[in-house]
Amino acid sequence: QDGLASNTIYDAIIVGTLSLLSLLAGMFLQIKSYFFVGAGVLLLNVFLQTRPYWGNMPWWFYLLIAGLILITVASFNEWNKQKVNKGETTFIMVLKEKVISTMKKWD
């Protein structure tokens, strides 16, 4: 908690290293809880440590980012629908099935 509350570079490195170790341990030992806790803490650490940068952006920049995300998701969804209607499988669908089947084997 101290590492996330204070915005020093040493705390960020310590929390980031520990979360990466948890993420890697979860991958190698195939334990879901280690993997997801490591990924969550790593993302939280990145968001909290970069808060001074993204917290001072103008409102239109947030609107631009949100619009780009919505357009990208809609375009990908439409492309995926067209591929499925033709009977083809997309790379994302194959990757999703591999990840799900692999995660079901983990503890």
Side-chain angles (χ1 to χ4, degrees):
Q1 286 180 341
D2 176 55
L4 292 174
S6 63
N7 288 328
T8 63
I9 190 70
Y10 297 114
D11 292 335
I13 290 172
I14 291 169
V15 172
T17 303
L18 289 174
S19 63
L20 278 175
L21 287 175
S22 175
L23 190 73
L24 291 173
M27 286 174 56
F28 289 121
L29 299 176
Q30 296 184 348
I31 300 174
K32 289 180 200 174
S33 60
Y34 289 179
F35 179 76
F36 288 122
V37 166
V41 171
L42 187 63
L43 285 173
L44 180 66
N45 187 29
V46 167
F47 286 137
L48 289 178
Q49 296 301 326
T50 59
R51 182 177 42 199
Y53 303 113
W54 54 263
N56 294 326
M57 285 191 260
W59 64 269
W60 55 266
F61 194 77
Y62 292 113
L63 190 63
L64 179 70
I65 290 173
L68 287 174
I69 290 171
L70 288 174
I71 289 171
T72 303
V73 168
S75 299
F76 178 76
N77 190 25
E78 192 61 34
W79 173 74
N80 197 18
K81 280 183 188 177
Q82 290 175 0
K83 287 279 195 177
V84 170
N85 286 340
K86 290 180 185 176
E88 301 174 10
T89 59
T90 62
F91 173 72
I92 300 295
M93 291 171 58
V94 172
L95 185 66
K96 181 182 87 169
E97 292 300 322
K98 278 186 180 180
V99 168
I100 289 174
S101 67
T102 304
M103 290 294 257
K104 284 184 179 179
K105 295 176 187 174
W106 288 15
D107 289 335

